[in-house]
Each structure stands twice: as C-alpha cells, then as structure tokens.
C-alpha cells in the first residue's frame, strides 16, 4: 500500500507539471515549428538531468562511476524503446495543437487511458475489475471537461488520436523497464533520443533561426526542464510502483490540472460542464485506487 501511494504521488506531481506546461507549449509554437520545439526542449531536458544524475550518484556506494552506470544494456534497450513511441507522441501532439482546439487536444491526448488497458490485454496483462469502470468515468469526465458542443473532426484530431496510441505504447514500455533501471538515466536517454530523432526535420524542414529560439526561450525552458526533465522522470518513478493501467488513469488528471490552472492563474471561466468533468475524472482516479480481492479458484 505504501508503494502504491508513493507511486500515485509521483504521478500526481507529474500531471500537475504537465497540466501547467500546456501554455508554454502553445506559446512556444508561436515562434518555432513542432519538431524544432521538441528537439530543443528535449536537449534542454538532457542538459538539466545530467547534473541531477551526478548528484544522485554521490549517495550510491556500489563502486561504479557516473559513466559506468550508463553502461547497462537493459537501460539502453529501455531508453530506445521508450523514446521511439514518445518521439511520435510528442510531435503528433504538437502538430495536433496547430489544427484543433486546446480542449479537444487535451481530451484526445488523454485517450491513452482507453488504449493502455486494451494494449495490455494483448500482452496478457490482467487488470483490476475497477479499471474498466474508472476508464468509462474518466472518458465521460474528459468529454465534459474538453469537448462539450464540439462536433467537427479535423486533421488535428487524427494526429492527436495517433498521439494517444503512441503515449499508450510508451506507458506500457516504461512499465516493462522502469522497475529494473535508474529512472533518471532512463528519462535522460529517452529525451536525448527524442531530440536526435526530431533534429533532422528541425534542420531541413523548419530551419529555426537564433532569433526564433531566443523568442521561445522561456517556454522552452519550462517545457524542457520541468515537463520533459522533471515530469517524465516522475512518471518513470511512479510506474516503478504502479501497473500501467492505473498509472494512465492518474496521468489523465493532466487535463483537469490544465483547466484548473487556467481558472486559478489566468482567471479563465470554469463552466458547469467543466466542473462536472473535473469531479468525474477525480472520482475515476479515486475509484481506480480501490483494490478488489478476487476469489481464488
């Protein structure tokens, strides 16, 4: 139970960071293309993580050095396999933001809460009986929160559905490797690989100037250091203690925190439907924490 609560706390902190970072991603897109923003953002995350990893290593007494701890085959396999779906997810999300509303972006991105249990079934992963109920409540809540009155489908919506599938794959891969590797190093590797994969498109298709990067500097810093650096490290730490389906439900609170941040910090109006949506998503997450003991056969 202690591990479960600790893992939930890590993921709640991650979703709070992700929810408040949505503004920085939108503002950064005023100056940079999606691949440029992601490549630079991920590189900044690596730069921020390396000294944190070095400081964390000083407390370890296993006789290994900073570099030798990176020489872990499972760490590199996990980093590469986590980075590939994350690369597609974050860039599809940035592309989707360009073509659809913020509310629909939040709703469709969070649809990984549906895809994670479904993909888990294909891998033979059993889920708690409360998870399907929680997923239905969360989807309904996210719809009230983000999509009331929206009827049109755009190309951006398709990008975001693809983004949700890729995030679901990344969550499942993290669940596979997180318990056996260093969380900070795993995030450092996946961020570095995402930066490298985004770089060719940045250089040849978008070609950002120094002026563009300077104009987006503060959004890049927040999205890189906090969202990618701290947020995804907290995700990995949380998933070291929780199953993927439960983790995905907690991470869906990102949409709730984004709406609440706009209400509290930017004085944006919180409608009745958004209030109902927040309550439903919170209820889904709380319900998902209930463990039901199944009868032994």
């Amino acid at each position: 139970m202690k591990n479960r609560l600790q893992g939930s706390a890590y993921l709640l902190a991650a979703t709070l960071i992700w929810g408040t970072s949505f503004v920085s991603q939108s503002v950064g897109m005023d100056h940079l293309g999606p691949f440029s923003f992601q490549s630079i953002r991920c590189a900044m995350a690596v730069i921020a993580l390396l000294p944190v990893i070095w400081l964390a290593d000083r407390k370890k007494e296993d006789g290994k050095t900073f570099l030798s701890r990176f020489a872990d085959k499972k760490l590199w396999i996990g980093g590469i396999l986590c980075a590939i779906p994350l690369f597609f997810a974050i860039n599809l999300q940035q592309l989707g933001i360009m073509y659809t509303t913020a509310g629909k972006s939040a709703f469709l991105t969070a649809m990984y809460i549906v895809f994670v249990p479904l993909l888990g079934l294909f891998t033979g992963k059993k889920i708690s009986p409360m998870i399907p109920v929680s997923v239905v409540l969360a989807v309904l809540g996210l719809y009230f929160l983000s999509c009331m009155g929206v009827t049109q489908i755009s190309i951006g919506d398709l990008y975001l559905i693809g983004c949700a599938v890729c995030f679901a794959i990344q969550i499942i891969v993290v669940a596979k490797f997180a318990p056996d590797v260093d969380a900070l190093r795993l995030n450092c590797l996946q961020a570095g690989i995402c930066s490298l994969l985004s770089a060719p498109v940045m250089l040849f298709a978008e070609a950002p100037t120094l002026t563009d990067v300077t104009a987006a500097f503060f959004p890049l810093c927040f999205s890189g250091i906090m969202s990618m650096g701290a947020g995804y490290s907290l995700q990995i730490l949380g998933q070291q203690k929780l199953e993927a389906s439960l983790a995905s439900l907690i991470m869906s609170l990102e949409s709730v925190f984004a709406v609440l941040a706009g209400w509290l910090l930017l004085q944006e109006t919180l409608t009745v439907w958004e209030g109902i949506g927040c309550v439903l998503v919170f209820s889904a997450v709380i319900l998902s924490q209930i463990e039901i003991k199944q009868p032994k056969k």
Side-chain angles (χ1 to χ4, degrees):
M1 188 63 182
K2 182 180 178 182
N3 283 344
R4 195 181 181 90
L5 290 174
Q6 193 175 37
S8 298
Y10 284 139
L11 290 174
L12 281 171
T15 57
L16 181 58
I17 293 170
W18 291 335
T20 53
S21 73
F22 185 80
V23 173
S24 66
Q25 286 183 253
S26 299
V27 172
M29 290 284 286
D30 292 338
H31 308 284
L32 294 170
F35 288 88
S36 299
F37 187 86
Q38 293 298 345
S39 183
I40 298 169
R41 167 203 187 195
C42 291
M44 293 179 79
V46 173
I47 294 169
L49 281 167
L50 286 174
V52 176
I53 293 170
W54 179 77
L55 288 172
D57 281 357
R58 297 181 67 183
K59 298 179 181 180
K60 297 175 181 177
E61 298 179 353
D62 55 5
K64 295 182 179 179
T65 64
F66 175 81
L67 291 176
S68 67
R69 289 191 182 93
F70 273 103
D72 181 340
K73 183 178 178 181
K74 191 164 189 176
L75 174 67
W76 279 91
I77 293 172
I80 293 169
L81 293 180
C82 288
I84 293 171
L86 183 61
F87 160 75
F88 285 106
I90 59 179
N91 282 296
L92 284 170
Q93 184 183 53
Q94 287 296 115
L95 287 167
I97 289 170
M98 295 171 64
Y99 294 101
T100 192
T101 65
K104 284 174 76 177
S105 298
F107 173 72
L108 292 172
T109 297
M111 283 301 96
Y112 55 69
I113 61 174
V114 175
F115 295 126
V116 167
L118 288 176
L119 292 172
L121 290 175
F122 285 108
T123 61
K125 184 73 174 177
K126 293 182 179 180
I127 59 174
S128 163
M130 298 308 298
I131 295 296
V133 179
S134 299
V135 167
V136 171
L137 273 179
V139 170
L140 186 61
L142 288 165
Y143 180 81
F144 286 151
L145 194 64
S146 309
C147 290
M148 281 300 293
V150 175
T151 56
Q152 294 182 333
I153 297 175
S154 70
I155 185 65
D157 299 340
L158 299 179
Y159 285 141
L160 289 163
I161 291 170
C163 158
V165 173
C166 292
F167 268 130
I169 295 170
Q170 189 261 357
I171 290 167
I172 290 171
V173 177
V174 167
K176 170 74 174 175
F177 288 94
D180 303 316
V181 299
D182 183 290
L184 294 177
R185 279 180 166 79
L186 181 61
N187 190 30
C188 188
L189 285 178
Q190 73 170 359
I193 294 167
C194 283
S195 179
L196 290 173
L197 291 174
S198 300
V201 183
M202 172 186 73
L203 295 173
F204 298 109
E206 297 173 351
T209 64
L210 183 59
T211 303
D212 296 329
V213 176
T214 303
F217 181 72
F218 289 108
L220 282 168
C221 282
F222 189 85
S223 293
I225 297 170
M226 293 301 298
S227 180
M228 179 61 68
Y232 281 94
S233 294
L234 287 165
Q235 178 205 353
I236 296 167
L237 287 168
Q239 285 198 244
Q240 287 179 338
K241 302 175 184 296
L242 294 174
E243 62 272 22
S245 54
L246 174 55
S248 67
L249 273 164
I250 296 173
M251 287 188 280
S252 71
L253 285 170
E254 175 186 356
S255 299
V256 175
F257 288 136
V259 170
L260 292 178
W263 177 49
L264 293 171
L265 302 177
L266 303 177
Q267 286 76 54
E268 294 178 348
T269 304
L270 185 68
T271 68
V272 173
W273 288 116
E274 287 174 334
I276 293 171
C278 289
V279 170
L280 285 172
V281 177
F282 272 119
S283 300
V285 172
I286 292 170
L287 193 64
S288 70
Q289 299 283 332
I290 299 173
E291 294 187 73
I292 297 179
K293 293 183 178 180
Q294 305 211 23
K296 295 181 180 179
K297 294 182 180 180

